[in-house]
Amino acid sequence: MANHKSSLKRIRQDKKKAEHNHYYAKTMRNAVRKLRAMTNKEEAEKLYPSVQKMLDKLAKTNIIHKNKAANLKSSLAAHINKLG
């Protein structure tokens, strides 16, 4: 166990930040899953901008990697284009 006051504080901060990041990453995964499950093109096109915005924000704050965000956006756009 840590002995310094500052290291105890750092442990608390890291735990809080990890919970925060986990929540937003899980929310993003659920939104992506929901969009991939859609079969209606109009509904998917309405949801896509909000998912895209979420991915960009998470990439900007380093919760996910910028290339992962780009790959997800690309695959989701391809999925929407395939819908008929």
Side-chain angles (χ1 to χ4, degrees):
M1 188 64 198
N3 291 323
H4 294 282
K5 208 173 184 182
S6 61
S7 60
L8 292 171
K9 181 178 178 181
R10 177 58 64 192
I11 290 168
R12 288 195 309 270
Q13 288 175 332
D14 289 345
K15 184 177 178 186
K16 186 175 180 181
K17 195 66 171 170
E19 288 174 7
H20 176 269
N21 289 346
H22 177 74
Y23 170 77
Y24 283 101
K26 184 70 174 174
T27 304
M28 176 268 303
R29 284 196 300 272
N30 287 338
V32 169
R33 208 174 284 133
K34 182 179 176 185
L35 186 60
R36 282 200 179 124
M38 287 187 169
T39 55
N40 187 349
K41 188 170 184 168
E42 290 79 30
E43 288 180 21
E45 285 175 340
K46 284 182 187 174
L47 184 63
Y48 181 68
S50 63
V51 173
Q52 188 176 14
K53 182 179 178 182
M54 185 185 304
L55 289 168
D56 287 336
K57 278 186 175 182
L58 293 177
K60 188 173 88 173
T61 56
N62 292 320
I63 293 174
I64 60 171
H65 196 272
K66 63 178 181 143
N67 291 351
K68 180 181 177 71
N71 289 336
L72 283 171
K73 289 192 294 185
S74 173
S75 67
L76 290 173
H79 170 72
I80 291 171
N81 286 333
K82 284 183 193 173
L83 295 175

